[in-house]
């Protein structure tokens, strides 16, 4: 019997320690694409499986938030939205903002939530946060359809709203929000494995960030009313995405090219830093979770 037949066996897959500090592992992620889609299906089905209203929560949350914002910020505080109905103005910003917050909060405890699976079965760990970002697109799609329904209603009511040539790039804005949420989520998830306080602070931080992202007011307002503090919004990349969204969908405001370049640059940096820290943490997180 030839011993070389036993020692030179060709394996289909070989699991070895990762030596690279930074790696996208796109080839490996593609090999596990079926598992990725299973996680996407799991995220969609199980989130509201044992709730009474089920997917209706996708609709209730943005509608009630828009109504409250309209009453408090537009009726009581008197924030003007020009010719655009205040409710539609708020709904446009909230719809895009919700996608970002869903991606951020759902991926921010990836290691903690999936420690049991990670400790037993091997697969590219980055698949888990990617599946969350993809599954949240369904939630975003439902909320965007609701926005379009109100858009059509107000349009036939004579509201001065209109789409423009820039609207075709709207999916890129959505992708930008998803990637930014993914990068921040992976970074925070890595910190949560050692510092549990971050899991409690994320909810408060997201609420605070919303007020600094021009979700319920135009950026021009903060520049004119509070010029000394306008930099807090101007250096927030999310504010430019919200402002550009309103221009693309409602025809209000303007597109800041420099602002978008700044947003894209920050998103790329945050994503790669988050991935770098995520890849480093996955090697030893099981000892600290």
């Amino acid at each position: 019997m030839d011993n070389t037949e036993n020692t030179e066996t060709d394996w289909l897959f070989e699991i070895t320690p990762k030596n690279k500090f930074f790696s996208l592992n796109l080839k490996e992620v593609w090999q596990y694409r079926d598992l990725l889609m299973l996680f996407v299906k799991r995220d969609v089905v199980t989130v509201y499986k044992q709730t009474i209203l089920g997917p209706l929560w996708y609709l209730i949350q943005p509608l009630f938030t828009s109504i409250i914002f309209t009453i408090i910020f537009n009726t009581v505080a008197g924030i003007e939205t020009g010719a655009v109905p205040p409710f539609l103005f708020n709904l446009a910003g909230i719809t895009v903002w919700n996608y970002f917050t869903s991606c951020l909060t759902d991926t921010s405890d990836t290691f903690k939530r999936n420690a049991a699976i990670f400790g037993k079965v091997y697969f590219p760990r980055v698949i888990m946060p990617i599946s969350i970002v993809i599954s949240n697109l369904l939630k975003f799609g439902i909320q965007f359809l609701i926005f379009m329904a109100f858009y059509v209603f107000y349009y036939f009511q004579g509201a001065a709203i209109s789409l423009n040539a820039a609207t075709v790039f709207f999916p890129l804005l959505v992708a930008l929000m998803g990637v930014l949420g993914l990068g921040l989520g992976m970074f925070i998830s890595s910190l949560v494995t050692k510092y549990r306080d971050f899991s409690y602070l994320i909810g408060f931080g997201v609420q605070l960030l919303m007020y600094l992202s021009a979700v319920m007011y135009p950026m021009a307002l903060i520049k004119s009313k509070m010029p000394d503090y306008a930099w807090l919004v101007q250096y927030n990349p999310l504010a430019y995405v919200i402002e550009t969204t309103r221009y693309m969908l409602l025809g209000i405001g303007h597109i800041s090219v420099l602002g978008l370049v700044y947003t894209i640059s920050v998103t790329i940096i945050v994503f790669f830093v988050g991935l770098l820290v995520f890849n480093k943490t996955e090697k030893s997180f099981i000892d600290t979770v």
Side-chain angles (χ1 to χ4, degrees), residues 32-248:
Y32 284 84
R33 60 189 180 277
D34 292 336
L35 181 63
L36 173 62
M37 297 315 299
L38 284 176
F39 281 137
V40 171
K41 183 179 179 180
R42 182 203 65 172
D43 294 336
V44 172
V45 173
T46 59
V47 171
Y48 296 100
K49 187 176 182 179
Q50 295 180 333
T51 60
I52 297 176
L53 297 179
L56 287 178
W57 286 114
Y58 291 152
L59 313 180
I60 294 174
Q61 191 271 340
L63 291 179
F64 273 78
T65 305
S66 298
I67 292 173
I68 293 173
F69 279 7
T70 302
I71 294 174
I72 295 177
F73 293 100
N74 302 113
T75 304
V76 178
I79 295 178
E80 298 290 338
T81 59
V84 176
F87 175 79
L88 196 62
F89 178 92
N90 291 319
L91 187 59
I94 290 170
T95 299
V96 178
W97 170 257
N98 281 347
Y99 179 60
F100 167 77
T101 56
S102 296
C103 295
L104 173 59
T105 56
D106 292 346
T107 59
S108 62
D109 61 345
T110 298
F111 288 115
K112 181 181 176 182
R113 184 190 302 176
N114 301 284
I117 300 177
F118 287 170
K120 296 177 181 178
V121 182
Y122 173 79
F123 58 89
R125 307 311 189 199
V126 74
I127 280 182
M128 198 65 76
I130 291 176
S131 69
I132 293 174
V133 173
I134 296 175
S135 62
N136 280 332
L137 282 174
L138 175 63
K139 177 180 178 181
F140 169 77
I142 295 174
Q143 294 183 354
F144 186 72
L145 288 176
I146 295 301
F147 167 78
M148 291 306 300
F150 280 98
Y151 185 96
V152 173
F153 170 78
Y154 280 110
Y155 180 81
F156 285 104
Q157 290 292 318
I161 54 178
S162 62
L163 302 177
N164 49 67
T167 308
V168 297
F169 297 103
F170 177 67
L172 297 180
L173 283 184
V174 177
L176 201 63
M177 293 291 264
V179 173
L180 184 57
L182 174 62
L184 284 174
M186 290 191 298
F187 181 77
I188 295 174
S189 179
S190 302
L191 295 179
V192 168
T193 60
K194 292 185 178 180
Y195 310 103
R196 299 297 177 88
D197 292 344
F198 280 96
S199 61
Y200 301 105
L201 292 175
I202 186 65
F204 169 75
V206 167
Q207 291 296 322
L208 181 62
L209 185 61
M210 180 179 65
Y211 291 101
L212 298 177
S213 301
V215 175
M216 69 291 293
Y217 56 84
M219 290 184 66
L221 178 67
I222 195 71
K223 294 178 182 178
S224 61
K225 295 291 186 179
M226 304 176 65
D228 294 336
Y229 299 96
W231 63 271
L232 291 172
V233 178
Q234 291 176 320
Y235 283 103
N236 182 358
L238 296 170
Y240 293 102
V241 177
I242 301 295
E243 190 80 0
T244 304
T245 294
R246 293 199 182 104
Y247 176 81
M248 290 181 174

